[in-house]
Amino acid sequence: MLQSGHHQWNKGQPTLQAFPATQRLNSRLHQISEETKKMAPKLVFVLPVVLLALALQAILRPPPPKLCGSPGGPPLTSPRIKLRDGRYLAYKEDGVQRDKARYKIITVHAFDSTKDFPSPVSKELVEGLGIYLLAYDRAGYGESDPNPNRHVKSEALDIEELADQLGLGHKFYVLGASMGGYSVWGCLQYIPHRLAGAALVVPIINYWWPSFPAELSKQAFNRLIVPEQRTLWIAHNIPSLLYLWMTQRWFPSSAAAMHHPEIFSKHDMEVLQKMMAMPRTIENKSRQQGIYESIHRDLLVAFGTWEFDPMNVTNPFPQNEGSVHIWQGREDRLVLVELQRYIAKKLPWIKYHEVPEGGHMFVMVDGWTDRILKALLLGEEPLDV
């Protein structure tokens, strides 16, 4: 009964502990308490790891690109085409008029460059042979929209669509220099039926192409300066870390991106001195939309895992109706000659030219671009390479 205004059980009545449900609740509460005590040390370790992961995610995520023509983005100054996927591709025409040209060549620019970098071909050769030159900004460079899904095939398809929208006809020539070489390899693999001929000038080499003998590839890779080795290794093996690696300030990263003097041969330094003596009239807009979708994406595509092995590419001109050329400087410190020689050996249908004193930039001087175009268009083979 109730006494003195307090709740009290009469003697002989059941207590709370007598109810099974209450016993189970108490037991469960005790179990949770014990588990919490056991988990506490783990939480002390796990929680910082989770917080660190979230912080790293924020650091590793590159900022969005500043699209040309968008609010706060760089201005548009070049003609562009709209691609099937909605991206815009900027281009520049040079040489004779398109409809009067005998030869139509699409040129593919190098790493950290754009379509506006002047081609050192002579006016006499262009007008004499009737050459039309079409340069374009590769995805993410200059005034072309970035392509977050960029790969070797997409580069080739961009070239094909550019040619079609500008009415170049069923066949055209392609010429790629340095990093632009992987776009030409893409054309040889994916659109060989559209090519009248192709030239690869000091084209980049992926050290992880399956057909390279492991020892040869390793030896060549170890000849690169250490910062370049680290950068290419990260681009291939841990691509998610490339942005962090390229933007940190504790260790030197890509020697090519930083224009480190050790990557240039003696001949390259002479070329650079000549170029510096020339009046500068063109601003380099290669990175104006952001470094990640331009130079970083280039490294990821070039040195990532390819969809095909270039040394398995078949001859697009079995009846000798066209030709493919590789031009390599023997003293090149960025693209090493021994691997280029191996490619030429594996693909004997490629016409391989090795410039004895040439470095990575030999094409910029001494009329080499004219010689390259004469070999591509006319079959005139230089006697000294």
Side-chain angles (χ1 to χ4, degrees):
M1 70 174 41
L2 296 176
Q3 293 182 351
S4 304
H6 295 286
H7 299 285
Q8 203 173 56
W9 291 103
N10 288 331
K11 188 177 180 180
Q13 288 183 328
T15 62
L16 285 171
Q17 285 76 16
F19 291 97
T22 304
Q23 289 180 326
R24 287 196 297 271
L25 177 61
N26 288 336
S27 176
R28 180 57 181 156
L29 290 173
H30 178 74
Q31 182 181 1
I32 292 173
S33 176
E34 293 300 316
E35 290 177 354
T36 302
K37 291 178 181 179
K38 293 179 181 179
M39 289 178 60
K42 296 180 180 179
L43 288 174
V44 171
F45 173 75
V46 171
L47 186 59
V49 172
V50 172
L51 294 175
L52 178 61
L54 292 173
L56 281 175
Q57 187 179 25
I59 295 172
L60 295 175
R61 185 184 296 117
K66 298 178 181 179
L67 299 182
C68 286
S70 66
L76 284 171
T77 62
S78 303
R80 306 199 300 178
I81 63 166
K82 187 175 183 179
L83 301 170
R84 284 185 293 267
D85 61 7
R87 289 182 294 115
Y88 285 90
L89 205 68
Y91 65 90
K92 184 184 78 170
E93 298 174 287
D94 204 352
V96 303
Q97 292 183 14
R98 190 191 318 160
D99 57 349
K100 296 180 179 179
R102 291 177 56 198
Y103 303 102
K104 298 171 183 177
I105 306 174
I106 297 179
T107 61
V108 192
H109 66 76
F111 180 75
D112 204 10
S113 184
T114 69
K115 66 183 184 321
D116 298 315
F117 194 82
S119 173
V121 61
S122 71
K123 183 178 179 182
E124 293 75 19
L125 183 70
V126 168
E127 293 180 350
L129 295 183
I131 300 173
Y132 164 82
L133 295 166
L134 176 59
Y136 72 102
D137 289 330
R138 293 190 287 119
Y141 276 106
E143 297 180 50
S144 288
D145 287 347
N147 181 3
N149 299 313
R150 177 148 61 114
H151 45 75
V152 179
K153 184 176 183 178
S154 71
E155 290 279 308
L157 298 182
D158 283 357
I159 289 174
E160 182 179 37
E161 193 167 354
L162 177 65
D164 288 341
Q165 290 204 33
L166 293 185
L168 266 59
H170 184 63
K171 296 271 189 177
F172 50 86
Y173 294 86
V174 289
L175 187 156
S178 190
M179 192 69 86
Y182 78 73
S183 302
V184 177
W185 280 119
C187 291
L188 291 169
Q189 172 69 13
Y190 295 111
I191 58 167
H193 57 289
R194 302 300 307 274
L195 301 181
L200 301 98
V201 182
V202 292
I204 64 100
I205 289 174
N206 185 314
Y207 296 87
W208 294 271
W209 285 341
S211 291
F212 279 138
E215 190 60 27
L216 176 65
S217 182
K218 180 180 178 181
Q219 289 176 359
F221 187 80
N222 289 337
R223 283 183 55 202
L224 298 173
I225 65 174
V226 173
E228 198 69 6
Q229 290 182 35
R230 292 169 178 165
T231 300
L232 303 190
W233 188 91
I234 290 171
H236 183 80
N237 293 285
I238 322 175
S240 60
L241 289 182
L242 184 66
Y243 176 74
L244 177 61
W245 170 251
M246 293 288 286
T247 54
Q248 54 80 31
R249 293 293 179 265
W250 297 290
F251 304 98
S253 57
S254 170
M258 298 172 65
H259 308 292
H260 196 289
E262 286 189 43
I263 66 174
F264 299 113
S265 69
K266 179 182 177 182
H267 185 262
D268 286 334
M269 296 302 294
E270 294 172 357
V271 172
L272 286 172
Q273 289 176 0
K274 292 180 181 179
M275 293 175 63
M276 291 176 65
M278 299 177 184
R280 293 187 180 183
T281 58
I282 297 175
E283 177 187 0
N284 188 356
K285 301 178 180 179
S286 60
R287 308 183 187 188
Q288 67 175 353
Q289 296 185 89
I291 56 174
Y292 186 77
E293 290 296 345
S294 54
I295 62 173
H296 295 186
R297 183 74 68 182
D298 236 3
L299 293 169
L300 292 172
V301 175
F303 299 103
T305 300
W306 284 32
E307 308 92 350
F308 67 96
D309 185 340
M311 282 166 277
N312 291 330
V313 171
T314 57
N315 184 359
F317 308 114
Q319 305 303 319
N320 293 321
E321 64 272 33
S323 58
V324 180
H325 301 254
I326 289 180
W327 297 79
Q328 175 64 35
R330 189 175 298 168
E331 303 301 321
D332 195 330
R333 295 184 182 179
L334 269 177
V335 180
L336 303 180
V337 67
E338 54 264 47
L339 294 184
Q340 214 75 273
R341 289 171 180 168
Y342 187 83
I343 294 171
K345 181 179 178 181
K346 292 284 288 185
L347 301 175
W349 48 268
I350 288 182
K351 299 180 184 296
Y352 177 66
H353 313 272
E354 193 171 295
V355 182
E357 303 298 325
H360 195 68
M361 304 180 68
F362 78 87
V363 70
M364 301 304 301
V365 294
D366 301 331
W368 276 108
T369 301
D370 282 21
R371 300 170 79 176
I372 289 169
L373 291 183
K374 286 180 181 180
L376 176 63
L377 304 177
L378 306 177
E380 291 187 9
E381 299 291 339
L383 299 177
D384 52 345
V385 293

